[in-house]
Amino acid sequence: MSLSANYSSLTSWIEVPEGSDFPIQNLPFGIIRINGGKKRVASRIGDNVIDLKTLFVLGYMENLPFEMEDFDSDSLNRMMRKGKQGTRKLRERLLKLFSTGSADLKNHEHHVNQVVVPIDQVEMCMPVEIGDYTDFYSSREHATNVGTMFRDPDNALLPNWLWIPVGYHGRASSVILSGEAIHRPKGQQKPAEDQNPVFGPCKLLDFELEMAFITYDGKALGDSISTEEAEDYIFGMVLFNDWSARDIQKWEYIPLGPFLAKNFASSISPWIVTLDALEPFKVDGPDQQPEVLDYLKYRGRKSYDINLEVLIQPDGGEENSVCKSNFKYMYWTMAQQLAHHTVNGCNVRSGDLMGSGTISGPTPDSYGSMLELAWKGTKPIPMNDGSERKFILDGDTVIMRGFSSKDGVRVGFGEVSTKVLPTK
Ligand code: CA
């Protein structure tokens, strides 16, 4: 997207509080409900949402490739079927309508009152109907840490890791929205000292700090998406907490990989931030050695500088920051992940969700899971209230936040927040 020269000085006639994740440069997309009414598509500026269905009905979406049903919908899937060109035109229209100095909408106060709704009067809903959920394993530091703990520090990375963006197919039905609590999962565990497995509540409940991207409709079955084309098929990104039951995982994962340790819940943030909004925050990806196969090669900047933080809030207590990481630490880029996912002819559809894999950085305070932060329970993390954590306890709320910042412009994701309740 070509950005205007005055991009960083662009402001909106809707007030944006200092430090907000949602200046006019962001314009994320989500699904809202007002007063228990029908769900609809919305965007956000500062602490107000923009009701896109009403904006359409009032005639402000003329000459755009959309119908009212695209916004009068309980998911973004239908709108996303208009593809990158469609949603980009929509974003440009919103930029125009809500910029300081633009009078088309602003001068019609009775329209503004219908379209602009304070966020505290709005219920956020799942933004997409997720058809398929794929999870990658693309942080070199995370894979190295896990390999060091569970296999061999001298051969921490498995032989395929530097050649393949390793991934697996997850479960879409249990992807939940920020704010929805989860119950501690139960399952089989195999304590080292016991000969046989035991059954009970997970004792090693963990978060995984991830981000996820959401796709547009891809190509037909049998066709592939190249790294060059990949961004045309990616709508935007969310924060993603891929909950993990480490004790269940350890016993079940051989030979087919994660199953019940992963599929009980994964939480996402409610606003999808578009790649167009993230364009100014692109950075070079890491140097990749050995040189990757041709279909994974790419040109230009394909990584993003997104600051990430994880906080644990004990029941009734204060938030404790336990991790600061960055999306740019990922070894494999989203373009490579999507190219790899489709290189065999696998198709993707509007609303598919692709998790990055746990995002660990180079330093111990940037590790993206409790498994690594507390190093298998050997280095407990102190909390402000005097307690400590090796893993997540009942009553804890895990919060993840993320934002990009450059030239005075901050584009953020809000948060994904999930409370853990006792086993049912
Ligand atoms: Ca994961």
Side-chain angles (χ1 to χ4, degrees):
M1 183 190 186
S2 62
L3 295 160
S4 56
N6 63 350
Y7 173 82
S8 60
S9 59
L10 204 60
T11 56
S12 174
W13 48 264
I14 297 179
E15 190 201 333
V16 177
E18 182 84 27
S20 171
D21 280 347
F22 305 101
I24 191 168
Q25 286 88 346
N26 191 339
L27 295 173
F29 292 94
I31 295 291
I32 61 163
R33 183 149 61 181
I34 305 167
N35 296 326
K38 269 187 81 182
K39 293 178 185 175
R40 55 187 62 192
V41 174
S43 186
R44 176 171 177 171
I45 296 175
D47 291 336
N48 288 277
V49 304
I50 300 162
D51 174 346
L52 297 190
K53 184 207 160 183
T54 303
L55 201 62
F56 185 96
V57 170
L58 293 173
Y60 291 95
M61 301 270 208
E62 273 180 14
N63 302 317
L64 290 177
F66 293 97
E67 301 150 29
M68 189 187 74
E69 289 74 19
D70 296 325
F71 305 113
D72 188 21
S73 176
D74 54 14
S75 78
L76 297 173
N77 296 51
R78 191 182 158 123
M79 184 192 93
M80 289 190 297
R81 294 214 169 87
K82 298 290 157 57
K84 186 93 163 192
Q85 295 313 317
T87 57
R88 182 171 283 169
K89 284 186 184 132
L90 174 60
R91 174 179 161 79
E92 283 162 2
R93 177 67 55 89
L94 296 176
L95 274 169
K96 188 158 169 261
L97 281 173
F98 290 94
S99 290
T100 302
S102 168
D104 293 355
L105 172 62
K106 185 175 183 258
N107 286 359
H108 294 87
E109 202 182 327
H110 59 297
H111 285 177
V112 173
N113 291 339
Q114 295 173 66
V115 167
V116 179
V117 185
I119 187 79
D120 56 13
Q121 294 178 20
V122 163
E123 176 197 346
M124 295 307 302
C125 307
M126 270 298 282
V128 274
E129 190 180 332
I130 300 166
D132 282 294
Y133 154 44
T134 301
D135 196 24
F136 287 94
Y137 188 61
S138 288
S139 155
R140 183 174 189 158
E141 288 79 5
H142 174 67
T144 302
N145 287 338
V146 172
T148 299
M149 272 185 265
F150 290 106
R151 285 190 308 274
D152 175 6
D154 296 327
N155 296 288
L157 285 182
L158 287 167
N160 62 2
W161 201 91
L162 294 169
W163 295 96
I164 291 176
V166 172
Y168 76 100
H169 286 300
R171 180 136 193 107
S173 67
S174 54
V175 178
I176 58 172
L177 190 67
S178 174
E180 183 174 343
I182 62 167
H183 288 270
R184 178 174 297 272
K186 307 181 281 278
Q188 284 197 30
Q189 302 135 38
K190 168 73 173 60
E193 62 277 15
D194 294 350
Q195 198 178 356
N196 292 325
V198 297
F199 177 83
C202 161
K203 294 182 188 70
L204 310 181
L205 181 62
D206 202 354
F207 59 79
E208 288 189 334
L209 169 63
E210 301 194 24
M211 299 197 71
F213 67 85
I214 287 116
T215 61
Y216 293 106
D217 274 330
K219 297 182 181 178
L221 195 66
D223 290 336
S224 305
I225 296 170
S226 69
T227 56
E228 199 67 29
E229 298 167 319
E231 286 169 6
D232 289 338
Y233 294 94
I234 299 175
F235 174 57
M237 297 173 72
V238 291
L239 299 166
F240 187 56
N241 180 353
D242 192 26
W243 291 98
S244 298
R246 300 295 180 200
D247 39 7
I248 297 172
Q249 183 177 1
K250 194 178 174 212
W251 173 234
E252 74 172 4
Y253 86 103
I254 296 166
L256 285 186
F259 187 36
L260 305 187
K262 300 283 188 176
N263 69 4
F264 60 94
S266 304
S267 312
I268 65 169
S269 53
W271 294 105
I272 301 179
V273 178
T274 63
L275 284 199
D276 281 342
L278 293 168
E279 183 75 19
F281 309 103
K282 276 185 158 177
V283 291
D284 290 328
D287 184 37
Q288 295 183 320
Q289 295 296 335
E291 190 178 32
V292 298
L293 297 185
D294 281 347
Y295 79 93
L296 292 169
K297 287 179 181 156
Y298 65 92
R299 284 177 300 179
R301 295 178 159 177
K302 300 278 187 208
S303 190
Y304 295 84
D305 181 2
I306 304 170
N307 302 288
L308 299 168
E309 184 175 23
V310 185
L311 306 102
I312 297 174
Q313 184 177 27
D315 208 5
E318 294 171 17
E319 294 177 359
N320 298 260
S321 178
V322 296
C323 160
K324 285 192 169 145
S325 188
N326 194 301
F327 185 75
K328 71 183 176 188
Y329 297 141
M330 303 298 298
Y331 187 82
W332 296 104
T333 62
M334 294 185 284
Q336 290 177 310
Q337 291 170 336
L338 190 55
H340 182 66
H341 202 308
T342 59
V343 76
N344 64 343
C346 175
N347 54 347
V348 298
R349 295 178 297 182
S350 172
D352 284 359
L353 183 86
M354 312 258 175
S356 59
T358 307
I359 305 165
S360 292
T363 56
D365 61 348
S366 63
Y367 295 166
S369 66
M370 288 304 283
L371 178 69
E372 298 161 88
L373 287 164
W375 206 257
K376 249 171 118 182
T378 60
K379 297 176 181 169
I381 309 285
M383 302 281 113
N384 295 329
D385 63 8
S387 66
E388 56 181 34
R389 292 291 181 281
K390 297 174 179 175
F391 288 92
I392 301 303
L393 302 182
D394 289 349
D396 286 351
T397 299
V398 175
I399 303 158
M400 295 175 180
R401 300 197 176 108
F403 68 94
S404 294
S405 175
K406 191 181 176 184
D407 300 333
V409 177
R410 175 185 169 118
V411 168
F413 290 79
E415 65 180 32
V416 55
S417 169
T418 311
K419 186 169 186 174
V420 175
L421 302 176
T423 291
K424 265 192 186 175

